[in-house]
Structures are given as C-alpha cells and as structure tokens.
C-alpha cells in the first residue's frame, strides 16, 4: 500500500493535460453530503473541482493523470495554528530564528501582522501538509492580551504572497494566567480584562475622531496622527476582523462573552477547555468555538468536549493550536480521531477539521468540502483516515499534486 499512488496511475494514456488531475476513490467523503463509493473527482487546470460523482458516470479527459486511493477526503483545514511563524527548530537565537509567534515587548500589539512574519518555506509547513493539512489559519499565538493579527494560507508556495488566502482574518487575544506569566502587567484576570476594555474604548474614540475630521472637511481640525494599533482594533469594532480570544476557564470564557456584549464585536472562542460547563451561555451568544486539541495538556480539558459542543448545537472546529515545546504543533488528524472515538463520531470529526472549520473562518465557499467549483484540495488515504495504521498517501492543492509519499 505504500506504493499506492504510483502503482495506481492509469496506463496507456497520452501525456497528462497540463494542470489537470483526476482521483478515483474507493470511498469519497465529500463532507457536503453522504460518502460516495467508487467515486471520481476531476480537477480543472484552473485548480477548481470540475466534476465529482460515481466512477460509472465519470468522463475523464484523455491524457489526464488519474490517481487512486482507498479513501479521499477534502484537504484538512486547521482552524488555528502558529505554523509558519513558529518553525521546526524551536530556535530564537543566532542566525536561526523561527519563533515569531509571540512578541513579549508589550502585552497589547494588535498592529503586528502575521503576513509580515510568515515563512512559506518553513519545514513545518511542509510537514503538516504531508499529513493532509492544505489550509491553515495561522499567526500570532496565545500569551499576550493581544498578540497580533492572524492570516489564512494554503500550505504551499515559496512566499507569503503565494500562500496567502486572507492576509488578515482575526486578532489573537488571550485571557488568564498565560498572559501574567509573560508580562509584569496584567498580573490578575480583572486587570487583563480592564486593559482590553480600555484598548477597545481607545480605538472607538480614535475612530470617532477620524470620522468627524473626515466629515467636517477642510475647515475641521487636523485628524489625529495615524495609530496602527487603534486602527487594527477599529477593524474589530467594525466587524472587519474577528477577535479570537483564548479563554479556557469558566471565568475567562465569561469575561470574553461580557466584552462581546459590551462592544458587539465578532467573537471566536479559542481553546475553551471548560466550555462544557457553559454550553447554554455560549449557544445563546451564537459564538463559535475553535476547540483545543483533545490530547493537549490544557487544564480541565476533556476528550469529550467536542461531542458536548456538537450535542449542544454550537459551531466548532478542532485545531492543532500552540505547544510550548518542539515542534509547537500537533497532528490535526490524530486530534480529530480522539474526538471521534470519544462521542463525536467519524463524520462529525471529519467535518470539524474540514467544512466546519472553513465556515468559522469564512472561507467555506472555497474549501472544506469536495464540490464542483471549490478548490481541488484533496487528501488521499490507504484506509480509514482515523485508523492509527492508515497512511496518507497523497496531497493535492488546487489540482497540483504536492505529495505522493505514504506517511
């Protein structure tokens, strides 16, 4: 089975049509609907899915390379990571610096942009892609009240420009002890929330000053000098960016929900280890959850939280998150498998790392499911994706075969 893709190339065809590829699957999980047995996906030269359906009805253009796999899923979508800012070497000294996920010079730095630090050629990007992750929501990590802006990328390309889908998607914020361990102030939970509130109020006032100056025209006083931090926070207040708040305890989650009620911004809860204790409140708020990796060592975390969120009807996705040790990320597929085995089930677990993640990120029109018109991002397996003995034997991003090696 380790030679699955190479052995399965259809022989006797003309040279492959440039940019096109087709995949035949024993079982195709579209995620948008029921699985299809003995199915084919045809990807067009523009990188989009051109056709999907039963193999008996397929018409693959002559010369198109055809790959086969036992199981095919959409490319995985990691709902929150630091990969590309954090690297495989875990070094922050000398000529090798691959730990740019958290700047500790100040606790509030919304002006920091992930796109200015993302390394598309980082070894860790290639590594997560080899395990099926084709889309990453990555950027500045937890540990500061506001650590910076996040971005969405495909796990390919030589530069940030080639990889980027959305250059700025959320502001990453953190409540609780992780902040006080990195900064002298805030030293308590209440101080942290007060500092966030003050920053948001300052951004609101700044935005009002700019608006009044623009409306008044030439006779108005000069507008305030540009303030990149307040501009970034203003984008949260206007709804252009979401606020991704790492909040794990009941106290932290409650504070995040209160701030949202006060300011009306688009909140995404991150981590949310004790969310199973506040299911009614989170559901009533209509707030999605980017859940901690089930196997992470977060306090009061549970393998069953994903199942509890699903049962409560709360939108959620599973992430690889951030680790304080090498390589600062986890294997997304394994984390989803743990949730699947602890009440979530395989179908919902797959959705939590594909379509549900894409919906929370606002990119479900492009990725997350295998449908005509969407990006041809596919993961090819030699068995059940959630079985420990299964290998991922191919990764395709926008019709480009980027991996053929079974891992």
């Amino acid at each position: 089975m380790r030679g699955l893709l190479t052995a399965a190339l259809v022989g006797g065809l003309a040279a492959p049509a440039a940019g096109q590829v087709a995949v035949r699957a024993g079982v195709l999980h579209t995620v948008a609907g029921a699985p299809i047995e003995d199915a084919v996906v045809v990807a067009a030269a523009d990188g989009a899915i051109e056709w999907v359906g039963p193999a008996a009805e397929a018409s693959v253009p002559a010369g198109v390379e055809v790959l086969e796999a036992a199981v095919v899923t959409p490319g995985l979508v990691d709902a929150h990571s630091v990969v590309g800012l954090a690297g495989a070497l875990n070094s922050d000294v000398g000529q090798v610096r691959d730990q740019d996920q958290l700047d500790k010079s100040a606790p509030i730095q919304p002006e920091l942009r992930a796109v200015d630090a993302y390394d598309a050629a980082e070894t860790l990007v290639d590594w997560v892609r080899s395990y099926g992750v084709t889309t990453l929501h990555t950027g500045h990590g937890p540990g500061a009240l506001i650590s910076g802006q996040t971005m969405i990328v495909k796990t390919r390309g030589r530069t940030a420009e080639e990889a980027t889908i959305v250059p700025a998607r959320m502001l990453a914020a953190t409540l609780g002890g992780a902040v006080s361990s990195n900064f002298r102030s805030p030293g308590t939970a209440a101080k942290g929330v007060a500092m966030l509130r003050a920053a948001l109020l300052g951004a609101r006032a700044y935005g009002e000053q700019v608006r009044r100056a623009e409306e008044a025209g030439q006779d108005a006083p000069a507008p305030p000098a540009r303030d990149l931090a307040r501009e970034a926070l203003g984008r949260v207040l206007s709804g252009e960016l979401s606020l991704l708040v790492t909040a794990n305890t009941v106290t932290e989650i409650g504070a995040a929900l209160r701030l949202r009620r006060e300011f009306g911004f688009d909140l995404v809860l991150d981590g949310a280890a004790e969310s199973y204790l506040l299911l009614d409140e989170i559901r009533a708020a209509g707030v999605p959850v980017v859940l901690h990796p089930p196997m992470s060592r977060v306090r009061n975390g549970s393998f069953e939280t994903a199942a509890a969120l699903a049962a409560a009807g709360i939108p959620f996705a599973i992430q690889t998150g951030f680790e304080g040790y090498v390589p600062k990320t986890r294997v997304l597929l394994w984390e989803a498998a743990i949730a699947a085995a602890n009440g979530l089930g395989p179908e919902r677990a797959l959705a939590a790392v594909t379509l549900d993640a894409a919906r929370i990120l606002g990119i479900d029109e492009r990725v997350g499911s295998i449908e005509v018109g969407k990006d041809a991002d596919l993961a090819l397996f030699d068995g059940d994706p959630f079985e420990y003995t299964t290998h991922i034997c191919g990764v395709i991003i926008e019709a480009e075969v980027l991996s053929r090696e079974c891992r």
Side-chain angles (χ1 to χ4, degrees):
M1 295 299 288
R2 288 185 176 273
L4 178 68
L5 290 180
T6 302
L9 297 180
V10 172
L13 296 178
Q20 276 200 285
V21 67
V23 178
R24 184 167 184 170
V27 178
L28 180 71
H29 293 278
T30 68
V31 182
I36 306 172
E37 294 189 5
D38 192 16
V40 168
V41 181
V42 180
D46 64 0
I49 295 172
E50 186 175 88
W51 191 90
V52 56
E57 301 174 11
S59 179
V60 179
V64 172
E65 181 181 26
V66 181
L67 308 180
E68 291 188 5
V71 178
V72 175
T73 73
L76 306 183
V77 179
D78 192 339
H80 186 206
S81 170
V82 297
V83 169
L85 277 73
L89 296 179
N90 196 42
S91 177
D92 201 20
V93 295
Q95 295 182 346
V96 178
R97 179 184 178 89
D98 66 352
Q99 298 301 306
D100 273 355
Q101 72 279 355
L102 183 63
D103 188 301
K104 296 184 180 181
S105 62
I108 298 179
Q109 299 189 81
E111 68 274 21
L112 302 185
R113 306 190 312 169
V115 70
D116 294 326
Y118 181 76
D119 182 2
E122 164 57 45
T123 302
L124 205 52
V125 175
D126 179 73
W127 188 81
V128 300
R129 185 185 65 230
S130 73
Y131 283 97
V133 176
T134 57
T135 303
L136 277 174
H137 175 223
T138 191
H140 293 89
L145 279 175
I146 299 180
S147 57
Q149 301 168 31
T150 66
M151 65 189 300
I152 303 175
V153 299
K154 292 289 184 75
T155 54
R156 63 163 189 189
R158 298 173 298 103
T159 67
E161 285 74 17
E162 291 178 355
T164 298
I165 300 177
V166 181
R169 177 59 184 88
M170 302 187 190
L171 278 187
T174 306
L175 297 177
V179 179
S180 59
S181 65
N182 290 318
F183 300 93
R184 185 173 181 179
S185 179
T188 64
K191 178 68 172 179
V193 175
M195 290 174 67
L196 271 182
R197 180 176 287 109
L200 289 165
L201 288 170
R204 178 185 285 172
Y206 172 82
E208 284 296 312
Q209 285 182 294
V210 172
R211 182 185 60 79
R212 286 196 299 267
E214 291 175 345
E215 290 177 350
Q218 295 180 349
D219 297 330
R226 287 196 66 182
D227 187 320
L228 295 180
R230 288 182 171 180
E231 284 181 9
L233 284 167
R235 295 174 71 188
V236 169
L237 294 173
S238 70
E240 185 178 350
L241 299 178
S242 301
L243 192 64
L244 178 74
V245 180
T246 300
N248 281 306
T249 68
V250 167
T251 300
E252 294 158 9
I253 294 170
L257 294 176
R258 283 192 295 275
L259 284 172
R260 177 187 176 275
R261 287 196 297 271
E262 181 177 349
F263 291 96
F265 54 75
D266 181 40
L267 171 66
V268 178
L269 287 172
D270 176 69
E274 294 183 359
S275 55
Y276 52 81
L277 298 175
L278 289 174
L279 295 173
D280 291 342
E281 291 81 357
I282 295 170
R283 181 176 56 233
V287 172
V289 173
V290 177
L291 186 64
H292 65 83
M295 291 189 288
S296 65
R297 297 181 295 180
V298 63
R299 180 180 175 183
N300 291 339
S302 169
F303 288 172
E304 299 175 353
T305 304
L309 292 170
I314 296 171
F316 75 96
I318 295 172
Q319 60 171 307
T320 59
F322 169 85
E323 298 289 351
Y325 52 87
V326 177
K328 300 194 183 298
T329 190
R330 288 177 174 267
V331 179
L332 185 61
L333 197 66
W334 294 355
E335 298 297 336
I338 294 297
N342 285 273
L344 187 60
E347 290 186 10
R348 287 302 305 269
L350 181 59
V353 292
T354 53
L355 187 55
D356 290 346
R359 285 171 175 159
I360 290 173
L361 297 177
I363 54 172
D364 52 299
E365 79 286 350
R366 285 193 60 175
V367 302
S369 61
I370 301 175
E371 300 178 79
V372 171
K374 285 194 173 184
D375 293 355
D377 296 351
L378 307 171
L380 284 62
F381 299 86
D382 63 5
D384 183 338
F386 294 135
E387 282 289 341
Y388 181 75
T389 55
T390 292
H391 306 95
I392 181 164
C393 293
V395 177
I396 299 172
I397 298 180
E398 294 179 27
E400 181 181 2
V401 182
L402 292 170
S403 175
R404 298 174 184 268
E405 177 186 358
C406 291
R407 297 291 299 268

